Coordinates of all heavy atoms in Angstrom, one line a residue:
V1 N -18.0 12.8 -19.2 CA -18.6 12.4 -17.9 C -17.9 11.1 -17.4 O -17.6 10.9 -16.2 CB -20.1 12.1 -18.0 CG1 -20.7 11.4 -16.8 CG2 -20.8 13.4 -18.3
R2 N -17.6 10.2 -18.3 CA -17.0 8.9 -17.9 C -15.5 9.1 -17.5 O -15.1 8.5 -16.6 CB -17.1 7.9 -19.1 CG -18.5 7.5 -19.4 CD -18.6 6.3 -20.3 NE -20.0 5.9 -20.6 CZ -20.4 4.8 -21.1 NH1 -19.5 3.8 -21.4 NH2 -21.6 4.5 -21.3
V3 N -14.8 10.0 -18.2 CA -13.5 10.4 -17.8 C -13.5 11.0 -16.5 O -12.6 10.7 -15.6 CB -12.9 11.3 -18.8 CG1 -11.5 11.8 -18.3 CG2 -12.6 10.5 -20.2
A4 N -14.5 11.9 -16.2 CA -14.5 12.5 -14.9 C -14.8 11.5 -13.7 O -14.2 11.7 -12.7 CB -15.7 13.5 -14.9
R5 N -15.5 10.5 -14.0 CA -15.7 9.4 -13.0 C -14.4 8.7 -12.8 O -14.1 8.4 -11.6 CB -16.8 8.4 -13.5 CG -18.2 9.0 -13.5 CD -19.1 8.1 -14.2 NE -20.5 8.6 -14.3 CZ -21.4 8.1 -15.1 NH1 -21.1 7.0 -15.9 NH2 -22.6 8.7 -15.2
L6 N -13.7 8.4 -13.8 CA -12.4 7.7 -13.6 C -11.4 8.5 -12.8 O -10.8 8.1 -11.9 CB -11.8 7.4 -15.0 CG -12.5 6.3 -15.8 CD1 -11.8 6.2 -17.2 CD2 -12.5 5.0 -15.1
I7 N -11.4 9.8 -13.1 CA -10.4 10.7 -12.4 C -10.8 10.8 -10.9 O -10.0 10.8 -10.0 CB -10.5 12.1 -13.1 CG1 -9.8 12.0 -14.4 CG2 -9.7 13.1 -12.2 CD1 -9.8 13.3 -15.2
A8 N -12.1 11.0 -10.6 CA -12.6 11.0 -9.3 C -12.3 9.7 -8.5 O -11.8 9.8 -7.3 CB -14.1 11.2 -9.2
D9 N -12.4 8.6 -9.1 CA -12.0 7.3 -8.5 C -10.6 7.2 -8.3 O -10.1 6.8 -7.2 CB -12.5 6.1 -9.4 CG -12.2 4.8 -8.8 OD1 -12.7 4.5 -7.7 OD2 -11.4 4.0 -9.4
I10 N -9.7 7.7 -9.2 CA -8.3 7.7 -9.0 C -7.9 8.6 -7.9 O -7.0 8.2 -7.0 CB -7.6 8.2 -10.3 CG1 -7.8 7.1 -11.5 CG2 -6.1 8.5 -10.1 CD1 -7.4 7.7 -12.8
E11 N -8.5 9.7 -7.8 CA -8.2 10.7 -6.6 C -8.6 10.0 -5.3 O -7.9 10.2 -4.3 CB -9.0 12.0 -6.8 CG -8.5 12.8 -8.0 CD -9.4 13.9 -8.3 OE1 -10.6 14.0 -7.9 OE2 -9.0 14.8 -9.1
E12 N -9.7 9.3 -5.3 CA -10.2 8.7 -4.0 C -9.3 7.6 -3.6 O -8.9 7.5 -2.4 CB -11.6 8.2 -4.2 CG -12.2 7.6 -2.9 CD -13.6 7.1 -3.2 OE1 -14.3 7.4 -4.2 OE2 -14.2 6.4 -2.3
V13 N -8.9 6.8 -4.5 CA -8.0 5.7 -4.2 C -6.6 6.2 -3.8 O -6.0 5.7 -2.8 CB -7.8 4.7 -5.4 CG1 -6.7 3.7 -5.2 CG2 -9.1 4.0 -5.8
G14 N -6.2 7.3 -4.4 CA -4.9 7.9 -4.0 C -4.9 8.4 -2.6 O -4.0 8.3 -1.8
R15 N -6.1 9.1 -2.2 CA -6.2 9.6 -0.9 C -6.2 8.5 0.2 O -5.5 8.6 1.2 CB -7.5 10.4 -0.7 CG -7.4 11.8 -1.3 CD -8.6 12.6 -0.8 NE -9.9 12.0 -1.4 CZ -10.4 12.4 -2.5 NH1 -9.8 13.3 -3.3 NH2 -11.5 11.9 -2.9
A16 N -6.9 7.4 -0.2 CA -6.9 6.2 0.8 C -5.5 5.6 0.9 O -5.1 5.3 2.0 CB -7.9 5.2 0.2
E17 N -4.7 5.5 -0.1 CA -3.4 4.9 -0.1 C -2.5 5.9 0.7 O -1.7 5.4 1.6 CB -2.8 4.8 -1.5 CG -3.5 3.7 -2.3 CD -3.2 2.3 -1.7 OE1 -2.1 2.2 -1.1 OE2 -4.0 1.4 -1.9
R18 N -2.6 7.2 0.6 CA -1.7 8.1 1.3 C -2.1 8.1 2.8 O -1.3 8.2 3.7 CB -1.9 9.5 0.8 CG -1.3 9.7 -0.6 CD -1.1 11.1 -1.0 NE -2.4 11.8 -1.0 CZ -3.2 11.9 -2.0 NH1 -2.9 11.3 -3.1 NH2 -4.4 12.5 -1.9
L19 N -3.4 7.9 3.1 CA -3.8 7.9 4.5 C -3.3 6.6 5.2 O -2.9 6.7 6.3 CB -5.4 7.9 4.5 CG -6.0 7.9 5.9 CD1 -5.6 9.2 6.7 CD2 -7.5 7.8 5.8
R20 N -3.3 5.5 4.4 CA -2.8 4.3 5.0 C -1.2 4.4 5.2 O -0.7 3.9 6.2 CB -3.0 3.1 4.1 CG -4.2 2.2 4.4 CD -4.3 0.9 3.7 NE -4.3 1.1 2.3 CZ -5.4 1.2 1.6 NH1 -6.6 1.2 2.1 NH2 -5.4 1.4 0.2
A21 N -0.6 5.0 4.3 CA 0.9 5.1 4.4 C 1.3 6.3 5.3 O 2.5 6.5 5.6 CB 1.5 5.3 3.0
G22 N 0.4 7.2 5.6 CA 0.7 8.4 6.4 C 1.7 9.3 5.7 O 2.6 9.9 6.2
S23 N 1.4 9.5 4.4 CA 2.3 10.3 3.5 C 1.5 11.4 2.8 O 0.3 11.4 2.8 CB 3.0 9.5 2.4 OG 2.1 8.8 1.6
W24 N 2.3 12.4 2.2 CA 1.7 13.5 1.5 C 2.3 13.4 0.1 O 3.4 13.0 -0.1 CB 2.0 14.8 2.1 CG 1.3 15.0 3.5 CD1 1.9 14.6 4.7 CD2 0.0 15.4 3.7 NE1 1.0 14.9 5.7 CE2 -0.2 15.4 5.1 CE3 -1.0 15.9 2.9 CZ2 -1.3 15.8 5.8 CZ3 -2.2 16.3 3.6 CH2 -2.3 16.2 4.9

């Protein structure tokens, strides 16, 4: 469960960074 939370947070931060940079 704790690993799943870390992975979800990593995915969310990654999406935010790509949105700011306008990249895929």
Side-chain angles (χ1 to χ4, degrees):
V1 169
R2 297 194 181 194
V3 169
R5 291 173 185 164
L6 290 176
I7 292 175
D9 180 60
I10 291 167
E11 293 170 345
E12 182 179 349
V13 171
R15 281 192 296 269
E17 290 293 332
R18 291 194 301 273
L19 184 61
R20 261 194 301 271
S23 61
W24 296 92

